Amino acid sequence: MSGQYLLRRLLTMVVVLFAVSVLTYGLIFITPGDPARTILTQQMGGQTPSHEAVAQFRTAKGLDDSFPIQYARWMGGVVRGDLGQSYYSNGAVTTMIAQRLPNTIVLAVASMLVAVTIAVPAGIASAVEPGSHTDYAAQFGALVGVSMPNFWLGYLLIIVCSLRLDVFPVAGAGGLEHLVLPALTLGSGMAAVITRLVRTAMLNVLDADYVRMARSKGLRERIVVYKHALRNALVPVVTIIGLQLSYVLNGAVVVEVVFQRPGLGTLLVDAIFARDYPIVQGVTLLIGVIFVLTNVVVDLTYSRLDPRIDLGGEPT
Amino acid sequence: MSNGSEGGSDHSRTESTSAPSASEESFTVALARDPTREKWDIYRGITPYYTHVFEPLVDTTEDMETAPLLATEWTAVDDTTWEFSLRDGVTFHNGDSLGADAVVHSFDRVFEQLSWVPGWIGVEPDGVTAVDDATVRFRTTEPFPAFPGTISHNYFGIQHPDATEKPVGTGPFQVKNVEEEQSITLTPDENYRGGTASPAELTFEWIKDPNTRVLSLEKGSVDIAQKVPKSRATAIDEASETAIETHLTPETSLVAVNLYRAPTDDERLRQALSWAVDQRRIVESVLNGMGKPARGPISSIVPWAVHDDLPTDEPDRDRARELVEQSGYSGETLSILINSENTDDRTIAQILSGWFEEIGVGSEIRQVDPASFYDTFTAGEANLTLVSFGSNSAACDYLIRAMFHSDGSDNRKLHEQNGTGIYNPGEEIDRLIEQGYRAETLEEKRDRYGEVQRRVVDTGAVVPLYYNDYAFGRRASVAGIDKHPIANMIDWSDLSRNQ
């Protein structure tokens, strides 16, 4: 890995983010729907705003300007580090994101932990003895996990764990007790995907020559599996865990709504429905940054896990 | 003209509400919207709905009329000038007295932060002045008899002029704690002029998802849940631990019929559609009985509604079929536009489509997202559109104007573009609306607006569906939710819990 490689990746990142911002701004701009009317109706508690009020709102927010002018104004702010103000609340988008981001990160990390804690042992157990009861159980579990929609599992967990067993609160954010059910909901779906992948990767690796060699040298199975096979099997698993970030953000929208956790997901969805352009743009840009950075980190992790993967160097 | 009167506060309550048994109670109300969402410093981080931390000059009564609140009296000095006399002895939560300066300051802040408010209340930013410490003068840009009703809205609650971290108003509740994007906790103001409110603590918690709101109510982690889905209401009401509170609102749901797009430009076809609809069935089967079958476009709770004078809401499909035959209808498919946000609308549109089929009229449903809905509607892209209109203040005049005047917000776009509009029946109606708008007595207003309601029903410009009820879920033990027709204005001062 070279410094040149990192530089190249960073430059690509800027280009990608620019493209993402033009595209989202363009898409939301051509989507029918007047932010002025939608936002005023909400602000006035459901009352229909008058034509005069709508016209004044549009002028004040510069909504009558053309696409290039509105975009350039927004971009000018971004370059200065200002993501603008919400049309609805007048709050600074940067502050609103900063308030919500920790909640989403905590949820993402917790659900990833849940997912990995379930998936890696289940995948290994299932691969070590293919066709066994353990294997079928793990595969069945994965099938159920993949098939269950997040919102449904969320309500189910609330009904069982909150209403019947009275162990966790129904909704809200704050302490650890508020995190368990959302993380389980989001994590179990991911666990299912990762379990299948760990199983396949392990099966491939366990069949490789070097593993057979290790076995034939008389190493204990435990050492063969955990020391020799697992490390190599982890390469595709790390990739998928990285890519699962998109799943976390998608899933977070639903899970945040069901469990009433203020996070980026709900912020974005509310903003899209209200056509609150500055928030949509700000959050999309942030998600873009997260994605590009994740990809860089995943690539870097590759080379640590498998020295045969060479980043940015000349082909060997 | 004087609409106000001297006298005691209509928000007065007996001192007995502060009896120890009641005052030790804390209550939590789950709201569908974030009570901390507004960042305007005028409200200092809380939304001016529900909480009663601030009070406006004018109150909206349970009969949808204006009544004195912080002002005891208001007079139209001339066509465009109003003078409001402030109530004596009103104190803010910090002990300071209410004076005219605080009122002027509050309005100035609203104008400063919300550029569109002048367009709403017809007062320019320099139009509010203090005559003396107890009198405030408003200058409207044009004659506006509905002005006092327009400012009987949560938006115009009076703030203490000094910017402090916490919101300081004059209402029965004061702010104890604000959890950003989660909740607001209030305590009663013990010096409130009408006596101390019963709840020792009142929390408004934001729970966006309707199912989660219901589950929280079932678990008992909230005492009251706003906007419970009507489909779940029967189950909530039948459970021993929970109950449902409903109340008629000033909101009407109706089908706006496009008068300028074939084939609904044919009056006989429009009347046929009207006769095909059974409002009672819609209320019973879709709304679980929560709502009132509509005969006209204005909810019967609005003082100038003429609901009882309008034709019956019973269907007559034979007559409808005859009308279809007499009309020039030749089998085209009508488009029914609905807002995807409202699940009831989807069901209702399907039922309507079935009834239209019975009288030989084909239709298809088109669903669009909430933000695009209004644009699609005002562009006249559909023959029939399911819309709902309601008011959040005593002045409902703008409803009839927005809907049926050629310059009203629904028709304006097409009226300016090609001289049509959507469901504005023409100049004569425009004139009646303008006369009603300027009317100084309720009788005159009812007279003019009543005629508008009759004509839009007669000509089939609308198919009225139902006047909406709001539905609150509550724990069975909770009592004392007042029945204000505007949910945003429900008073929580008398809440109590039966042990």
Side-chain angles (χ1 to χ4, degrees):
Chain A
M1 179 187 52
S2 63
Q4 229 184 352
Y5 168 78
L6 265 184
L7 192 69
R8 209 167 60 221
R9 288 300 296 261
L10 286 175
L11 280 177
T12 324
M13 177 169 145
V14 173
V15 176
V16 168
L17 291 179
F18 177 71
V20 166
S21 75
V22 177
L23 212 67
T24 7
Y25 212 108
L27 280 177
I28 197 161
F29 193 83
I30 56 170
T31 311
D34 182 3
R37 173 164 295 277
T38 316
I39 286 168
L40 284 187
T41 307
Q42 284 187 34
Q43 285 185 348
M44 293 167 76
Q47 176 168 321
T48 315
S50 71
H51 179 82
E52 290 72 20
V54 171
Q56 262 162 337
F57 185 95
R58 293 188 63 85
T59 313
K61 303 289 180 194
L63 287 165
D64 293 323
D65 296 331
S66 64
F67 171 69
I69 291 179
Q70 289 195 43
Y71 179 78
R73 194 166 45 221
W74 177 76
M75 204 42 175
V78 173
V79 172
R80 292 191 306 273
D82 176 10
L83 291 176
Q85 286 181 317
S86 156
Y87 290 162
Y88 180 88
S89 71
N90 284 350
V93 175
T94 333
T95 318
M96 294 173 82
I97 289 179
Q99 278 168 349
R100 301 265 194 137
L101 188 60
N103 272 328
T104 303
I105 290 178
V106 167
L107 176 63
V109 171
S111 20
M112 203 60 97
L113 276 177
V114 169
V116 171
T117 314
I118 300 174
V120 173
I124 294 173
S126 152
V128 170
E129 287 180 72
S132 66
H133 289 305
T134 323
D135 183 24
Y136 286 131
Q139 288 202 56
F140 178 73
L143 182 71
V144 172
V146 167
S147 322
M148 264 192 303
N150 274 331
F151 72 90
W152 187 84
L153 180 61
Y155 293 138
L156 187 73
L157 286 175
I158 292 179
I159 291 169
V160 175
C161 302
S162 302
L163 258 56
R164 299 274 180 276
L165 303 176
D166 201 14
V167 189
F168 298 108
V170 175
L176 194 64
E177 72 277 14
H178 288 106
L179 185 63
V180 176
L181 297 186
L184 271 178
T185 308
L186 194 49
S188 59
M190 276 192 289
V193 178
I194 300 173
T195 304
R196 288 172 159 193
L197 200 95
V198 171
R199 181 180 184 273
T200 315
M202 279 302 278
L203 279 177
N204 285 338
V205 174
L206 286 173
D207 210 28
D209 286 344
Y210 77 94
V211 173
R212 261 181 267 161
M213 167 74 94
R215 278 198 184 121
S216 67
K217 283 198 297 187
L219 287 178
R220 271 182 299 156
E221 188 64 15
R222 176 178 288 269
I223 303 225
V224 172
V225 171
Y226 289 100
K227 197 162 174 208
H228 293 259
L230 184 60
R231 183 166 165 150
N232 281 318
L234 278 182
V235 175
V237 174
V238 166
T239 316
I240 206 77
I241 289 177
L243 295 178
Q244 284 286 309
L245 251 177
S246 63
Y247 182 90
V248 174
L249 289 172
N250 284 336
V253 173
V254 175
V255 171
E256 283 173 2
V257 170
V258 168
F259 291 98
Q260 190 59 37
R261 287 181 64 85
L264 280 188
T266 41
L267 183 67
L268 181 61
V269 169
D270 286 345
I272 289 173
F273 279 123
R275 302 286 189 269
D276 198 340
Y277 298 167
I279 294 187
V280 176
Q281 280 300 95
V283 177
T284 318
L285 199 67
L286 177 73
I287 292 176
V289 171
I290 294 175
F291 263 83
V292 180
L293 284 180
T294 313
N295 272 310
V296 175
V297 171
V298 167
D299 286 353
L300 295 180
T301 321
Y302 276 168
S303 66
R304 301 280 299 183
L305 284 171
D306 187 345
R308 287 171 300 178
I309 300 170
D310 181 25
L311 295 177
E314 294 300 314
T316 51
Chain B
M1 177 177 60
S2 172
N3 296 33
S5 63
E6 287 287 351
S9 163
D10 58 311
H11 271 210
S12 62
R13 55 188 63 84
T14 54
E15 295 291 340
S16 66
T17 52
S18 58
S21 61
S23 68
E24 282 160 18
E25 296 289 348
S26 297
F27 295 87
T28 303
V29 181
L31 298 182
R33 60 179 279 157
D34 178 4
T36 74
R37 196 170 162 197
E38 332 296 24
K39 306 293 175 231
W40 313 308
D41 68 12
I42 22 175
Y43 305 117
R44 312 249 160 79
I46 72 166
T47 303
Y49 298 119
Y50 287 97
T51 51
H52 295 275
V53 170
F54 312 115
E55 295 168 304
L57 298 178
V58 184
D59 198 18
T60 301
T61 68
E62 295 191 0
D63 300 321
M64 291 300 293
E65 287 169 351
T66 56
L69 192 52
L70 289 188
T72 48
E73 191 179 24
W74 44 93
T75 317
V77 179
D78 58 45
D79 270 2
T80 55
T81 312
W82 288 90
E83 266 187 18
F84 285 72
S85 309
L86 302 185
R87 185 180 296 281
D88 268 349
V90 174
T91 50
F92 284 102
H93 300 140
N94 62 4
D96 291 353
S97 303
L98 169 77
D101 286 346
V103 177
V104 175
H105 184 269
S106 285
F107 275 87
D108 283 351
R109 298 298 287 146
V110 177
F111 291 137
E112 210 175 290
Q113 303 217 351
L114 305 167
S115 57
W116 49 273
V117 167
W120 172 21
I121 64 171
V123 175
E124 288 298 312
D126 60 355
V128 190
T129 44
V131 177
D132 55 48
D133 194 41
T135 317
V136 182
R137 181 174 284 185
F138 292 85
R139 205 174 55 248
T140 57
T141 46
E142 50 189 281
F144 191 10
F147 176 74
T150 306
I151 59 165
S152 69
H153 192 287
N154 306 58
Y155 252 66
F156 305 105
I158 305 306
Q159 270 273 356
H160 191 278
D162 292 345
T164 53
E165 294 237 325
K166 271 189 185 171
V168 177
T170 62
F173 291 100
Q174 54 187 338
V175 174
K176 180 183 175 195
N177 186 38
V178 177
E179 286 283 334
E180 282 278 340
E181 298 181 36
Q182 290 183 49
S183 62
I184 293 175
T185 304
L186 312 172
T187 50
D189 177 8
E190 284 171 10
N191 302 316
Y192 187 65
R193 58 188 185 279
T196 309
S198 303
E201 202 171 83
L202 180 60
T203 301
F204 291 93
E205 192 179 317
W206 177 34
I207 305 183
K208 182 185 168 73
D209 183 62
N211 289 314
T212 310
R213 276 204 300 282
V214 171
L215 290 168
S216 301
L217 179 73
E218 284 171 356
K219 180 170 163 63
S221 48
V222 304
D223 298 293
I224 296 166
Q226 181 212 5
K227 283 196 182 166
V228 298
K230 288 182 174 166
S231 54
R232 307 270 303 262
T234 316
I236 295 173
D237 211 27
E238 281 170 0
S240 59
E241 293 288 302
T242 50
I244 287 286
E245 292 275 326
T246 61
H247 196 59
L248 192 63
T249 70
E251 183 183 275
T252 306
S253 290
L254 49 83
V255 183
V257 185
N258 196 328
L259 304 175
Y260 303 98
R261 185 189 176 98
T264 41
D265 54 352
D266 186 321
E267 185 169 320
R268 277 167 300 190
L269 177 66
R270 295 198 299 268
Q271 285 164 343
L273 298 177
S274 223
W275 282 111
V277 173
D278 185 346
Q279 281 82 354
R280 283 174 199 284
R281 281 276 299 282
I282 290 175
V283 171
E284 279 159 21
S285 59
V286 185
L287 308 177
N288 261 330
M290 284 170 286
K292 180 174 171 181
R295 292 194 199 172
I298 300 295
S299 168
S300 57
I301 199 161
V302 174
W304 42 263
V306 293
H307 171 82
D308 293 332
D309 304 338
L310 293 171
T312 166
D313 46 25
E314 295 292 319
D316 185 342
R317 307 237 160 84
D318 291 334
R319 186 166 169 187
R321 272 186 282 267
E322 278 169 30
L323 281 162
V324 173
E325 276 169 28
Q326 288 164 18
S327 74
Y329 178 69
S330 55
E332 300 100 311
T333 303
L334 305 188
S335 46
I336 308 179
L337 180 70
I338 57 169
N339 182 340
S340 63
E341 194 176 40
N342 196 341
T343 43
D344 288 343
D345 280 2
R346 206 176 314 148
T347 318
I348 291 171
Q350 282 159 356
I351 293 173
L352 292 178
S353 189
W355 286 334
F356 297 155
E357 193 71 46
E358 278 183 40
I359 61 164
V361 177
S363 58
E364 61 181 14
I365 299 165
R366 180 178 167 203
Q367 181 171 308
V368 296
D369 81 294
S372 317
F373 175 75
Y374 194 79
D375 272 2
T376 318
F377 166 49
T378 54
E381 288 182 22
N383 292 106
L384 308 170
T385 309
L386 264 65
V387 283
S388 296
F389 291 94
S391 178
N392 251 327
S393 61
C396 304
D397 296 56
Y398 79 95
L399 289 176
I400 205 155
R401 192 182 174 88
M403 289 193 267
F404 304 120
H405 196 284
S406 303
D407 272 343
S409 44
D410 292 358
N411 301 297
R412 190 178 186 118
K413 194 160 144 192
L414 284 189
H415 190 66
E416 280 175 358
Q417 262 171 28
N418 52 21
T420 59
I422 313 280
Y423 58 136
N424 48 321
E427 281 174 20
E428 215 173 318
I429 296 289
D430 290 357
R431 237 184 341 266
L432 282 167
I433 292 172
E434 284 154 25
Q435 287 165 358
Y437 186 76
R438 283 195 303 269
E440 294 197 354
T441 63
L442 183 60
E443 289 69 35
E444 194 188 343
K445 206 181 269 283
R446 187 183 284 129
D447 203 35
R448 301 287 188 272
Y449 286 163
E451 186 57 25
V452 176
Q453 294 168 65
R454 261 175 232 112
R455 296 220 199 157
V456 295
V457 169
D458 285 350
T459 55
V462 296
V463 180
L465 294 177
Y466 61 92
Y467 308 136
N468 200 14
D469 269 3
Y470 63 68
F472 273 72
R474 63 168 168 89
R475 297 292 292 174
S477 55
V478 173
I481 304 178
D482 101 304
K483 297 231 173 206
H484 200 287
I486 297 172
N488 284 327
M489 293 184 179
I490 290 174
D491 182 10
W492 309 100
S493 300
D494 293 328
L495 280 186
S496 63
R497 192 179 275 121
N498 309 318
Q499 297 301 330

